[in-house]
Amino acid sequence: MNRLELRLRQLKGREEKGLIGFMMACEPDFTTAVECAKALEEAGCDILEIGVPYADPIADGEVIERAHFRGVERGMNMTKALEFVRAVHDNCSLPLVMFSYFNPILRRGVEVFARELETAGASAVIIPDLPLEEREKYDQIDVDIIPMLAPTADEQRMARADHYARSFIYCVSVAGVTGERDRLPDLTDYLSRVRARTSHPLAVGFGISSGAQVARIKDYADLVVVGSALVRTIEENSDDKTRLLSELSALARNLKQALR
């Protein structure tokens, strides 16, 4: 049983909702980013999603897009991202999920990537531009590719996501890109329909940035993903490590408290 499977079992046993935090690998730098991961764990984050910088992040909004571009400018690549994943794994006990677009994985070789990801200590990967229709090609590879669903998904697509899911299903809250939003649509019907067609935990992400938003959707999901708000906090405080870690911890604590 890997860290992700264990954490999901623990959350279910405690009847507790989980917080998935997102950060970009090595942002603002390798050492500080590892400290950020440790701060998120100490503040109550249950699972950490680590992004691989990419030049064409089509699923991401402005805040995370800027983080992608900063990473690319610094020469970040899959090799360095995997090294960062290993460092985080060795310095905290958070379950780790990598977020990467498909091209860097394909260029590396999917089977090679799967072995390297496991060696680095991550439990799964989210690939936003890998359609569910293509997922069958990689079903025999020993890596948990988290299936994603949009609010427009029909019953057949929900069933397909459930078939491929190993740990949880990622339910995108909006038919759009990541990014902080003042208001989210009513997700009750959407999440209820997915819930009725799967036995796997449901994570909801895209657009969720405040404790108030988390509180409104917690009854319909098992996990809530927050990315842009955390990435923006890192971006805005990157010149002062002490302030950065303090602000990041405060935000994570607020988000986790809203799930209780």
Side-chain angles (χ1 to χ4, degrees):
M1 182 180 297
N2 61 39
R3 286 185 180 183
L4 178 59
E5 293 167 340
L6 179 60
R7 183 59 51 87
L8 292 175
R9 178 174 292 188
Q10 290 170 339
L11 289 169
K12 183 177 181 180
R14 297 195 297 258
E15 297 184 344
E16 180 180 335
K17 303 303 175 84
L19 173 63
I20 303 179
F22 173 92
M23 64 180 295
M24 195 65 67
C26 301
E27 172 87 355
D29 60 71
F30 192 103
T31 302
T32 304
V34 172
E35 292 184 51
C36 286
K38 292 166 66 176
L40 288 172
E41 178 180 34
E42 292 168 3
C45 186
D46 296 290
I47 298 165
L48 185 62
E49 185 182 343
I50 298 174
V52 180
Y54 185 59
D56 187 22
I58 57 174
D60 288 302
E62 184 178 353
V63 172
I64 295 180
E65 185 179 63
R66 289 198 301 267
H68 276 285
F69 294 160
R70 287 192 297 270
V72 170
E73 289 174 356
R74 292 199 308 271
M76 279 296 298
N77 54 31
M78 180 62 78
T79 297
K80 294 178 181 177
L82 286 165
E83 291 173 357
F84 176 72
V85 169
R86 166 52 68 183
V88 174
H89 175 274
D90 291 346
N91 282 275
C92 68
S93 60
L94 280 172
L96 305 179
V97 177
M98 178 176 276
F99 175 102
S100 175
Y101 289 90
F102 190 55
N103 190 54
I105 296 172
L106 183 64
R107 291 189 63 182
R108 206 168 188 87
V110 179
E111 292 185 4
V112 172
F113 167 77
R115 291 195 296 270
E116 291 178 322
L117 187 70
E118 183 179 15
T119 299
S123 300
V125 61
I126 294 170
I127 310 174
D129 56 346
L130 178 66
L132 277 174
E133 289 80 3
E134 296 292 310
R135 176 64 178 77
E136 185 177 2
K137 296 179 182 179
Y138 310 104
D139 201 32
Q140 302 306 313
I141 296 171
D142 191 22
V143 62
D144 181 4
I145 303 175
I146 306 293
M148 302 183 79
L149 287 173
T152 53
D154 58 20
E155 294 182 8
Q156 182 178 7
R157 197 169 190 81
M158 293 175 186
R160 181 176 290 164
D162 184 56
H163 173 75
Y164 290 126
R166 298 184 188 178
S167 51
F168 65 86
I169 295 174
Y170 193 127
C171 297
V172 178
S173 68
V174 294
V177 298
T178 63
E180 298 169 86
R181 289 171 170 82
D182 293 331
R183 297 182 63 184
L184 291 173
D186 185 354
L187 302 174
T188 306
D189 178 67
Y190 162 43
L191 296 177
S192 296
R193 287 189 296 113
V194 180
R195 177 78 70 193
R197 291 164 178 82
T198 181
S199 59
H200 293 91
L202 303 183
V204 182
F206 284 42
I208 302 165
S209 58
S210 69
Q213 290 173 331
V214 167
R216 283 197 294 272
I217 64 174
K218 68 177 183 179
D219 291 338
Y220 306 99
D222 304 289
L223 306 155
V224 174
V225 187
V226 177
S228 294
L230 295 172
V231 172
R232 178 178 50 77
T233 300
I234 294 172
E235 178 184 49
E236 292 178 349
N237 298 282
S238 60
D239 60 337
D240 185 329
K241 183 187 292 189
T242 300
R243 187 178 70 232
L244 165 57
L245 298 177
S246 175
E247 293 290 330
L248 201 62
S249 296
L251 176 55
R253 281 196 298 270
N254 175 265
L255 293 167
K256 181 62 179 180
Q257 183 61 38
L259 284 168
R260 295 192 171 100

